[in-house]
Amino acid sequence: MAHSDSEDEQEPFEDVEEYNEEDAEDLDAEEATEDGDDVFPSPAPPPRLRSRPISPSGARKRALRLAKVPRGFVVEAVCAIPHPAPTNALAASSCMSHLLTGSEDGYIRDYDIFTALNSKNFLSAPQRQHTGVVEGLMKAGHHRFWWENNLSSNFSGVNEDRTLVPVHSLAMHSDALWVLAGTNSGPINLFTVRHEPGRLCHTLVGHRDLVSSLSLNHDEKSLFSASWDGEAIQWDLNTGQKSRAFTSHGAQLTCIAVRPENAVYTDTGSPIMLRYEDKGPQDTQIVDPSAYTGNTRIDSDARSDVSFDPLFDDEPEDGHKPFVDGVASQAVPIAKPSLSTIAPPRGAPPLLDSQRYKTFSPDILMTAAIDGQIMLWDKRVNTIGQGVGRLWISEKTPPWCLSACWSADGNQIYAGRRNGTVEIYDVRQSGRATPDGPRLLKTLRNPSRSGVVSCVVGFPDNRHIACASIDNIRLWNADTIESDTSGRTKGGTQFKVIPGHHGGFISQMLVDSGSRFLVSASSNRSNRESQGDSTRTVFVHDIQHVQ
């Protein structure tokens, strides 16, 4: 079939796929150039977001998460694993098929929870005597592998005749491919787990004292470690070298944790900050703004009954009431000239205020020190003195913190204190502290004789908190506590006692992402000032959902 010349000239433009917007812009530019007009480049279109399919590992992790938030939980101990020495650290895979324990005797043990619970192997009489389980039936643990945590004698602090060193912290790959073990002298060992268990691949050298806590980044390609030398280090697991050091005021670091990746962020990438304003009859008092800057409600909260500690505080005078115009009043408090008289530690980061916190990226690292200071670090800022701030603490809070963690959604921080309380900070709200930083939302108070809070862990529903003291492990429902730290409840039981450990110092607790199991270990973590002894037992608790 013959084609005319006119049809041949129009043929290139008849194909829709070859004619696009770029060709049209080029033709317009050529016409404008021929006419002598100036050509102004058009603004670049916004980049397109590529929707990548989820990886098989990510799909498994998502399937294991808590699908429906229950009304409550019932936690019961179903399996007891006796150990010959105190257990300092725990680690588990995302599916809980591998449970690792690190003990004071220098051994790392791998257990299979599901095989133990589905079997008919119960504790023997000597095991029941060792674990303290005298009544009822309880399953025994299923031991899969074990290996030694060895260090070469070339490292400082290791005797030539004994290279076996205690394990004080663990962090394991989500699919149990490898595990990192922190020692009492500073080095961190990398072992294989699933394939050829216990093979030492590499040793990370950088800390000078006991490695108290380990936390993997979201991509599991970098590691954050905290040590008693007062320094936190970020490691590149591809090279085995240090990427960055987080140095504060030199106090012993007890905890380190990366903010969960499913936290709520703003579109600009900065953390959400909601201005909190107290409302009620106690805020009706007129205060001179030149007297001080801050919220008048803070001091009443700091000196409330819930923050009173009979060990550290003086007894309040009975019948004391503030006076307004010579008349006693119970609803209007008297303003205080200062909110806190505690001097910050020498060299400590500044208090985290709203202006500083607005510059933070959503990628936040939390560290806790033995002197009670909780510090937030912006992981993307690598400038000394910038991108870091400490949370405000009340003057009634004793200088001590052995355990702190993030909530599952990354919006709150739970901190255990020496006076038997658990403080809940909300990093999205401000207005409670003097520098207008993250707000001290609630305070959970255990019975006065329960002892120090040695370990805290949050449940995936973002409401329940398990805190361990010398006497028991308690399960709190934070929603039943009012937000004004007065200790009043909305109704119902404040906490439930989780059976298992009695009279032992809890070193670590784990809760899986689906709220199926709670695992607890007992040890004083080589803290000579801590009270209580170890039960030398690891308990596996079954979590039942109450709908």
Side-chain angles (χ1 to χ4, degrees):
M1 180 177 180
H3 297 276
S4 63
D5 295 338
S6 61
E7 292 177 352
D8 295 340
E9 293 176 358
Q10 297 177 358
E11 183 176 0
F13 294 94
E14 292 178 357
D15 191 354
V16 181
E17 295 180 357
E18 296 182 0
Y19 182 76
N20 51 27
E21 296 180 357
E22 296 181 357
D23 296 333
E25 293 178 358
D26 294 340
L27 292 176
D28 295 340
E30 292 178 0
E31 294 177 359
T33 305
E34 292 176 358
D35 297 340
D37 298 336
D38 295 333
V39 179
F40 297 96
S42 59
R48 294 182 178 180
L49 298 178
R50 294 184 58 185
S51 58
R52 297 181 179 180
I54 188 172
S55 62
S57 177
R60 290 194 301 270
K61 294 178 183 178
R62 181 175 297 181
L64 293 172
R65 292 179 181 176
L66 184 64
K68 183 180 180 180
V69 178
R71 185 169 53 90
F73 296 106
V74 177
V75 185
E76 296 181 356
V78 293
C79 180
I81 307 175
H83 280 64
T87 302
N88 298 322
L90 295 172
S93 58
S94 58
C95 60
M96 297 295 289
S97 59
H98 290 263
L99 173 64
L100 300 185
T101 63
S103 303
E104 192 72 25
D105 56 0
Y107 287 92
I108 300 176
R109 298 171 176 87
D110 187 2
Y111 293 91
D112 189 348
I113 294 179
F114 297 99
T115 303
L117 297 182
N118 294 328
S119 67
K120 296 182 180 180
N121 297 327
F122 297 95
L123 293 176
S124 61
Q127 290 177 336
R128 293 166 67 89
Q129 184 69 23
H130 178 92
T131 57
V133 179
V134 249
E135 297 181 356
L137 297 177
M138 187 168 294
K139 299 292 183 67
H142 181 77
H143 202 176
R144 184 187 277 124
F145 302 108
W146 61 271
W147 60 87
E148 299 177 349
N149 185 34
N150 289 322
L151 276 183
S152 174
S153 58
N154 297 328
F155 294 105
S156 60
V158 179
N159 299 327
E160 296 181 358
D161 56 343
R162 184 177 184 273
T163 60
L164 198 62
V165 293
V167 182
H168 286 273
S169 54
L170 289 173
M172 185 164 58
H173 185 261
S174 59
D175 291 332
L177 297 180
W178 40 260
V179 65
L180 292 146
T183 63
N184 62 344
S185 57
I188 303 173
N189 288 334
L190 174 63
F191 297 99
T192 56
V193 178
R194 174 170 291 183
H195 309 288
E196 195 178 351
R199 182 171 64 89
L200 179 60
C201 299
H202 187 70
T203 301
L204 307 177
V205 182
H207 286 295
R208 304 178 305 275
D209 207 336
L210 184 146
V211 180
S212 56
S213 181
L214 299 175
S215 179
L216 288 173
N217 206 6
H218 304 308
D219 56 2
E220 297 185 331
K221 295 181 180 179
S222 60
L223 170 74
F224 295 90
S225 60
S227 174
W228 283 9
D229 58 8
E231 190 176 39
I233 298 178
Q234 180 180 1
W235 304 86
D236 186 355
L237 296 181
N238 292 322
T239 61
Q241 303 297 324
K242 291 194 298 184
S243 301
R244 179 186 174 186
F246 302 85
T247 305
S248 57
H249 57 291
Q252 293 181 357
L253 297 182
T254 57
C255 292
I256 189 168
V258 179
R259 188 179 190 183
E261 58 183 352
N262 56 344
V264 180
Y265 303 135
T266 59
D267 296 335
T268 59
S270 300
I272 295 177
M273 290 297 291
L274 304 176
R275 176 66 184 177
Y276 173 78
E277 296 181 358
D278 291 320
K279 297 180 180 181
Q282 293 188 353
D283 298 323
T284 57
Q285 183 184 11
I286 301 178
V287 182
D288 184 9
S290 61
Y292 67 97
T293 58
N295 198 324
T296 59
R297 180 65 178 278
I298 308 170
D299 190 79
S300 62
D301 291 333
R303 299 179 182 273
S304 61
D305 293 337
V306 71
S307 61
F308 173 76
D309 182 32
L311 182 61
F312 301 98
D313 305 333
D314 296 331
E315 291 287 343
E317 297 180 4
D318 296 333
H320 176 74
K321 299 179 181 179
F323 286 83
V324 178
D325 295 334
V327 180
S329 174
Q330 297 180 354
V332 183
I334 296 179
K336 304 293 180 180
S338 63
L339 302 177
S340 179
T341 58
I342 298 179
R346 183 177 181 181
L351 284 174
L352 188 61
D353 54 5
S354 60
Q355 297 300 323
R356 181 184 296 268
Y357 193 50
K358 286 180 181 178
T359 63
F360 274 43
S361 69
D363 213 1
I364 300 177
L365 179 70
M366 184 268 296
T367 59
I370 192 65
D371 60 356
Q373 301 295 330
I374 300 176
M375 293 154 284
L376 300 183
W377 306 77
D378 188 352
K379 295 194 297 182
R380 301 182 184 182
V381 177
N382 201 6
T383 304
I384 299 177
Q386 297 183 6
V388 59
R390 57 186 174 89
L391 299 182
W392 176 84
I393 58 176
S394 169
E395 62 179 1
K396 295 296 184 180
T397 301
W400 191 88
C401 181
L402 199 59
S403 178
C405 66
W406 290 96
S407 61
D409 57 2
N411 295 328
Q412 295 179 349
I413 295 177
Y414 311 138
R417 299 298 185 179
R418 187 171 60 182
N419 57 351
T421 61
V422 177
E423 295 180 344
I424 302 178
Y425 291 89
D426 196 324
V427 297
R428 301 168 301 170
Q429 301 183 22
S430 64
R432 174 71 60 177
T434 306
D436 200 20
R439 175 190 171 199
L440 178 58
L441 184 64
K442 303 176 183 180
T443 299
L444 312 180
R445 173 167 286 276
N446 292 329
S448 58
R449 296 185 179 182
S450 62
V452 301
V453 178
S454 60
C455 188
V456 176
V457 64
F459 278 59
D461 66 339
N462 303 314
R463 294 183 304 176
H464 288 79
I465 305 171
C467 64
S469 300
I470 300 300
D471 55 351
N472 287 306
I473 300 177
R474 291 173 174 84
L475 180 63
W476 283 83
N477 186 358
D479 282 354
T480 62
I481 306 300
E482 297 286 349
S483 299
D484 59 357
T485 69
S486 63
R488 295 190 300 266
T489 60
K490 298 180 180 179
T493 306
Q494 298 185 34
F495 61 83
K496 300 178 181 178
V497 175
I498 300 177
H501 298 279
H502 295 285
F505 198 90
I506 307 302
S507 57
Q508 190 173 357
M509 294 187 293
L510 291 179
V511 178
D512 66 307
S513 58
S515 294
R516 296 175 298 169
F517 300 104
L518 167 66
V519 186
S520 58
S522 177
S523 170
N524 60 2
R525 304 180 69 177
S526 297
N527 189 1
R528 298 182 180 89
E529 297 181 358
S530 62
Q531 303 173 2
D533 198 0
S534 170
T535 60
R536 296 186 299 169
T537 304
V538 175
F539 281 97
V540 179
H541 304 77
D542 179 48
I543 303 177
Q544 301 176 6
H545 298 185
V546 179
Q547 301 296 340

